Every structure is written in structure tokens, then in C-alpha cells.
């Protein structure tokens, strides 16, 4: 059950929202936990037990770490907790990938191949595992007090707005909200607007451009031309941004309906002027997780320069693998790590001597080249696609060829994607509201009408279009 499904929009959410404000405040956490487990079980009937096991495991280790005074025992329990969490990820997410690659080696030396059946990847396993680990690590560090209530920890890990697509929420950011939170009309209306805006980013922009990107990436390499390949990667770059940031907006909006305030996860990453800035704006919760729990633990930037570069490569290699069990994801991460290292060595100092627009062009090109590996199904497909982008493809490049895939709807969507990937619409709306500050009713009517129109078009799209991918299934 996804946020963009009719069952969620017109049945699950209205029922849960109504029930939440009908029950007494001391029962709301129970209601939300039941709703969250139901939400997850809707698509992962059996694997809801895995989610519950993860919750119980990390709750117990948090208690054990807090109970003992011996630092050595605390450390042992921390290592056990991290090891079991990672083992869960390895078994369900990476075991098939590991066995497939081992079999290549075994076949080369004429040894018997390993036999492992196809293992199902539970939705959101990387999100809820990382979230649970952050709680245990913070308890060990003394950054947060241990939570004695199993219900509160269970709700923290399983809260349905962010369960299967993030953002990765830190316990310390919602610890107080798990115990007491307030809801008011302004928060609820703000949450509804944020949810509809995120839904619009997903349905009206990401899905429209994603369908075209899928069509182009599915073409044989003999039909890929220079223009088509660039059209495909531009569409995919906007698809993944508006899809992922749209889900984050929906998660933040849904959480506000129930009194939770989640931190922002995206901040216009495509306006960045360096790769370092890009990672301060893109998937903020994940980049902060790797920074605080891995990069800094390895020494961060306090080491000798060469060690810092190694740290960056390791972090981004793992960041790539986090996204999926594939060599392509690893290469995607290493590309980002490489350019972060190059910027530290001195490349960005050279770049700053050039006009400001060149900084944005540089970031966009690096990001789009890396997205090719993220999107392509195989390494060979990624290489062929990059060759076409470099003008070395086998397809014939003609304006008619590109025009065949571009219609007025795609053109309008691309313009909207460019516009809304910048803060210009937000700045513009604030200026209009400032000009009309003496007529608040008109401002309210205008904003409300815009949100209603967006929701109307989203509903039409959901009802009439079968293309509605969930691109985080590998996460």
C-alpha cells in the first residue's frame, strides 16, 4: 500500500486520521502503531514479523547497554546489535548478489557452484534498519536516554509516514514527540498542503517524466542517439528527484497530521555549485547518517589528507551499496566519492575562477553521469548509454527522432520540473503574499484553490494511469 494508491488515499488515511482524533490522547500511540503495522503488512504480510523482530532486538539492546556500568559490556552489546542488524541486511538484501559473484569465481576455477534460492527483499528494510541502529548507537554514546517503553520504540521505528521510503528519522529528533505532542488546525492544514504538494511532485512530474525515461532506457543501444540519451537522463534525473523528494514531502505532511515534525530531507540539490554542497542538499537524512555514524567514527576530516580521501571513498562506496545490491550502485557511489576527493585536492579552487554558471553545469553533468549507473539495469547498458551521451552511440541522431518522444505535455512537464527544482516558485509565492498582505482572504483563497486543483489532477492521474512505479523497492 503506497501513498499514491486509492486504498491509502481514500480508505486507510481517512480512517486512521479520524480514529486518531476520536480516541483519547493516551491511546493514540497504540492506534498509530497498529495502523503502521497494518500499513506494512498490507504489502509484506509475512515480513511484518521481520519488522517486529528488528524493533524487539534493538529495544532489548538499548536496555542492556543502559543497564550495565561497564564500558566494555556496553561496547560488546553495541557490537552485537550492529552485527545482527547488518546480518539481517546482508541476508535479505545482499546474499543473492554475494552468491552470484562468488559463483563467477567458482565457475572460473571449476568448483561446484553455490545454490541459494531467490530471497525476497522486504520493503523499506534499509530505512528501518538504519533508523533502529541509530537509536542503539545514540544510547551507547549517551546522546539520548534509553526508552523504557516498548510501544514508543516500536512506533519510532514503524511510524507509517516514513517507514518504507524515509526520511531516516533520528530518535533524538522525535523522542519528546513520542511522549507528548500537540496538534492544531494550522499544523493539520499545513500537513495536508505539504502532502498534496508532494503527491503532485510524484504523480504529475516524476511519473510523467519517468515513463519517458523508462522508454528511452529500454531502447537497444543501436537505437540510442546523442539527443535521445540526454533526453532520457534528464528525464530520469528529474524523475528520481521529484519522486524521492515528493515521498519525503508526503511523509513530512502525513506526520504533521498526527503532531510529528520531521526534519527536511531535500533542499533543492540541483542548484548546488559543488558536489559537497549537493550532498548537503540531497537525501539529507541519509548523508547525515553516514557522516555521523560512519565518516566521523573513521576519523572524518581530522585525519591526514590521504586518510580523509580513503574515508570518503569508503563512505560513498557503502552509500552506493546501501541503495541496492549491484555493481552499478557501487560505481554510482564511487563517482560521488571521487569528485568529493577531487574538490578537496583543489579542483573546486580552480572551478571558482570560472563564471558561477559553470559550477552548476559541472554539478549537473557529474550527477547525471552518475545517475546513468543508478538507473541502468546492467553495467554494459550503462556503458552503452554513456557512449551515446558522448556522441559515440550507434543510433542516428536527428531532430525527428527526439521529437517523436517529446510532445506538448512532456515539454510543459520539463519546464515545470526545471522551475520547481529551484526555490523560485516559493520565493515568488512569498512575494505575492507580501504584496497582498492587506488582503489575507484573497491569499488564502488563492493558495487553497491551487492545492485543490493539484489534488484534483493527481486524482485524475491515479484513476486513469497505470504507470505508478515505486522506485525504492531495492532500498
Amino acid at each position: 500500500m503506497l501513498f499514491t494508491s486509492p486504498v491509502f488515499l481514500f480508505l486507510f488515511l481517512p480512517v486512521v486520521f479520524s480514529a486518531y482524533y476520536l480516541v483519547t490522547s493516551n491511546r493514540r500511540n497504540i492506534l498509530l502503531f497498529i495502523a503502521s503495522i497494518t500499513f506494512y503488512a498490507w504489502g509484506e504480510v509475512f515480513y511484518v514479523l521481520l519488522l517486529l523482530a528488528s524493533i524487539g532486538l534493538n529495544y532489548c539492546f538499548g536496555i542492556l547497554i543502559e543497564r550495565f556500568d561497564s564500558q566494555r559490556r556496553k561496547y560488546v552489546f553495541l557490537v552485537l546489535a550492529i552485527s545482527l542488524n547488518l546480518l539481517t541486511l546482508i541476508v535479505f538484501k545482499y546474499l543473492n548478489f554475494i552468491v552470484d559473484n562468488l559463483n563467477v569465481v567458482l565457475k572460473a576455477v571449476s568448483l561446484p557452484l553455490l545454490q541459494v534460492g531467490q530471497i525476497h527483499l522486504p520493503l523499506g528494510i534499509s530505512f528501518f534498519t538504519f533508523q533502529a541502529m541509530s537509536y542503539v548507537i545514540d544510547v551507547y554514546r549517551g546522546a539520548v536516554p534509553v526508552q523504557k517503553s516498548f510501544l514508543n520504540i516500536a512506533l519510532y521505528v514503524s511510524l507509517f509516514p516514513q517507514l518504507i521510503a524515509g526520511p531516516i528519522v533520528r530518535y533524538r529528533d522525535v523522542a519528546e514527540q513520542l511522549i507528548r505532542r500537540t496538534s492544531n488546525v494550522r499544523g493539520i492544514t499545513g500537513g495536508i498542503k505539504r502532502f498534496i504538494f508532494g503527491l503532485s511532485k510524484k504523480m504529475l512530474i516524476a511519473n510523467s517524466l519517468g515513463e519517458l525515461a523508462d522508454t528511452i532506457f529500454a531502447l537497444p543501444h543501436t537505437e540510442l542517439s546523442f539527443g535521445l540519451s540526454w533526453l532520457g537522463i534528464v528525464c530520469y534525473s528529474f524523475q528520481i528527484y521529484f519522486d524521492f523528494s515528493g515521498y519525503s514531502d508526503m511523509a513530512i505532511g502525513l506526520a504533521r497530521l498526527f503532531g510529528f515534525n520531521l526534519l527536511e530531507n531535500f533542499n533543492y540539490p540541483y542548484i548546488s555549485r559543488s558536489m559537497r554542497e549537493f550532498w548537503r542538499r540531497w537525501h539529507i537524512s541519509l548523508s547525515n547518517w553516514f557522516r555521523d555514524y560512519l565518516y566521523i567514527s573513521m576519523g572524518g576530516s581530522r585525519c591526514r589528507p590521504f586518510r580523509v580521501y580513503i574515508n570518503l571513498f569508503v563512505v560513498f562506496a557503502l552509500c552506493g551499496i546501501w541503495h541496492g545490491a549491484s555493481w552499478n550502485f557501487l560505481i554510482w557511489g564511487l563517482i560521488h566519492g571521487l569528485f568529493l576527493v577531487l574538490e578537496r585536492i583543489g579542483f573546486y579552487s580552480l572551478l571558482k575562477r570560472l563564471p558561477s554558471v559553470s559550477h552548476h553545469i559541472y554539478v549537473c553533468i557529474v550527477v547525471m553521469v552518475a545517475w546513468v549507473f543508478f538507473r541502468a539495469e546492467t553495467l554494459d547498458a550503462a556503458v552503452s548509454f554513456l557512449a551515446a551521451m558522448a556522441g559515440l552511440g550507434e543510433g542516428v541522431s536527428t531532430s525527428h527522432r527526439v521529437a517523436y518522444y517529446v510532445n506538448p505535455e512532456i515539454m510543459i512537464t520539463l519546464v515545470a520540473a526545471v522551475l520547481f527544482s529551484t526555490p523560485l516558485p516559493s520565493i515568488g509565492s512569498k512575494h505575492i503574499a507580501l504584496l497582498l498582505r492587506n488582503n489575507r482572504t484573497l491569499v488564502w483563497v488563492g493558495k487553497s484553490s491551487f492545492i485543490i486543483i493539484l489534488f484534483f489532477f493527481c486524482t485524475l492521474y491515479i484513476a486513469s494511469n497505470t504507470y505508478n512505479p515505486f522506485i525504492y523497492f531495492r532500498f
Side-chain angles (χ1 to χ4, degrees):
M1 180 164 52
L2 305 177
F3 297 159
T4 54
S5 68
V7 173
F8 179 85
L9 289 172
F10 303 113
L11 178 61
F12 179 85
L13 182 57
V15 168
V16 173
F17 179 75
S18 300
Y20 181 83
Y21 287 100
L22 288 174
V23 302
T24 56
S25 58
N26 62 331
R27 295 181 179 177
R28 287 177 174 174
N29 279 6
I30 298 174
L31 173 68
L32 282 181
F33 175 62
I34 294 172
S36 297
I37 293 301
T38 303
F39 173 82
Y40 192 77
W42 191 276
E44 298 284 15
V45 179
F46 175 75
Y47 293 95
V48 72
L49 297 176
L50 179 66
L51 172 62
L52 293 172
S54 177
I55 292 169
L57 171 79
N58 290 284
Y59 169 77
C60 291
F61 275 112
I63 295 291
L64 290 170
I65 289 171
E66 188 270 342
R67 178 170 298 176
F68 291 95
D69 294 327
S70 168
Q71 194 64 28
R72 182 176 177 276
R73 287 191 177 184
K74 289 177 182 288
Y75 183 72
V76 168
F77 287 127
L78 174 68
V79 171
L80 282 173
I82 293 175
S83 299
L84 289 173
N85 277 293
L86 293 179
L87 180 62
T88 303
L89 274 181
I90 290 170
V91 169
F92 286 97
K93 189 170 183 176
Y94 303 109
L95 187 58
N96 284 131
F97 175 69
I98 293 169
V99 169
D100 289 344
N101 284 277
L102 280 175
N103 280 340
V104 172
V105 177
L106 293 174
K107 185 177 181 180
V109 295
S110 302
L111 289 176
L113 302 184
L114 300 175
Q115 300 295 328
V116 176
Q118 191 63 33
I119 299 174
H120 175 74
L121 177 62
L123 288 176
I125 187 172
S126 294
F127 288 106
F128 67 72
T129 300
F130 268 38
Q131 194 159 302
M133 277 200 297
S134 72
Y135 163 71
V136 176
I137 295 171
D138 282 349
V139 169
Y140 171 79
R141 290 176 173 179
V144 297
V146 69
Q147 174 56 256
K148 300 293 179 64
S149 167
F150 177 80
L151 174 63
N152 287 349
I153 287 297
L155 182 58
Y156 158 68
V157 175
S158 68
L159 186 65
F160 74 86
Q162 47 77 49
L163 176 57
I164 63 173
I168 302 172
V169 179
R170 304 283 188 89
Y171 174 75
R172 66 189 181 201
D173 293 327
V174 295
E176 184 63 28
Q177 299 173 52
L178 289 166
I179 301 170
R180 61 182 67 86
R181 54 190 178 275
T182 57
S183 301
N184 51 48
V185 174
R186 184 176 181 180
I188 292 172
T189 55
I192 293 172
K193 290 177 182 178
R194 186 67 179 268
F195 176 82
I196 293 175
F197 188 62
L199 181 67
S200 304
K201 289 165 75 172
K202 160 67 176 170
M203 302 305 300
L204 304 181
I205 298 181
N207 281 7
S208 296
L209 297 180
E211 193 166 11
L212 178 54
D214 285 355
T215 300
I216 294 174
F217 270 89
L219 291 173
H221 65 88
T222 53
E223 296 185 24
L224 274 176
S225 65
F226 177 80
L228 272 182
S229 59
W230 277 100
L231 175 62
I233 196 57
V234 166
C235 287
Y236 180 71
S237 298
F238 283 128
Q239 179 200 9
I240 194 166
Y241 168 64
F242 283 101
D243 198 300
F244 209 169
S245 66
Y247 261 104
S248 291
D249 287 338
M250 286 187 274
I252 292 169
L254 287 171
R256 285 182 185 173
L257 296 182
F258 304 103
F260 289 94
N261 290 299
L262 306 185
L263 299 181
E264 296 295 334
N265 204 28
F266 288 86
N267 183 24
Y268 306 108
Y270 288 158
I271 69 170
S272 301
R273 293 179 294 178
S274 69
M275 295 305 296
R276 192 172 184 177
E277 182 183 355
F278 177 83
W279 278 100
R280 288 199 295 264
R281 294 175 175 272
W282 177 272
H283 203 342
I284 299 168
S285 63
L286 179 65
S287 57
N288 285 351
W289 198 100
F290 275 104
R291 180 197 65 196
D292 295 344
Y293 297 112
L294 184 60
Y295 181 67
I296 291 177
S297 298
M298 294 169 64
S301 302
R302 302 186 305 273
C303 310
R304 291 175 298 175
F306 181 75
R307 177 63 184 275
V308 173
Y309 308 150
I310 296 297
N311 291 346
L312 285 170
F313 272 117
V314 170
V315 167
F316 277 90
L318 293 175
C319 181
I321 290 296
W322 179 88
H323 285 87
S326 163
W327 290 110
N328 278 18
F329 286 117
L330 175 63
I331 293 171
W332 172 82
L334 290 175
I335 290 172
H336 281 271
L338 172 63
F339 279 91
L340 286 168
V341 169
L342 290 176
E343 286 182 4
R344 284 180 173 271
I345 290 174
F347 175 72
Y348 189 66
S349 297
L350 296 175
L351 192 67
K352 285 195 296 185
R353 300 176 185 176
L354 301 175
S356 179
V357 67
S358 63
H359 306 173
H360 298 290
I361 294 173
Y362 147 70
V363 170
C364 288
I365 290 175
V366 172
V367 169
M368 283 192 287
V369 168
W371 282 141
V372 172
F373 289 96
F374 202 91
R375 172 59 183 81
E377 295 295 331
T378 65
L379 185 57
D380 288 343
V383 172
S384 296
F385 202 94
L386 287 172
M389 289 172 61
L392 303 175
E394 300 177 40
V396 178
S397 179
T398 65
S399 58
H400 172 74
R401 187 73 174 154
V402 173
Y404 177 79
Y405 291 90
V406 178
N407 55 40
E409 180 185 348
I410 291 296
M411 290 298 297
I412 293 171
T413 306
L414 280 171
V415 171
V418 172
L419 187 62
F420 284 96
S421 63
T422 73
L424 289 178
S426 178
I427 294 171
S429 66
K430 289 178 181 177
H431 280 297
I432 293 173
L434 186 62
L435 290 173
L436 298 174
R437 61 184 178 275
N438 294 326
N439 196 334
R440 295 183 178 179
T441 301
L442 182 61
V443 173
W444 183 85
V445 170
K447 288 183 176 180
S448 300
S449 299
F450 180 65
I451 292 296
I452 291 170
I453 291 170
L454 285 179
F455 187 68
F456 173 74
F457 279 108
C458 287
T459 304
L460 286 181
Y461 195 103
I462 292 170
S464 62
N465 203 312
T466 57
Y467 181 83
N468 189 19
F470 183 68
I471 61 179
Y472 316 112
F473 70 95
R474 287 189 284 189
F475 296 7

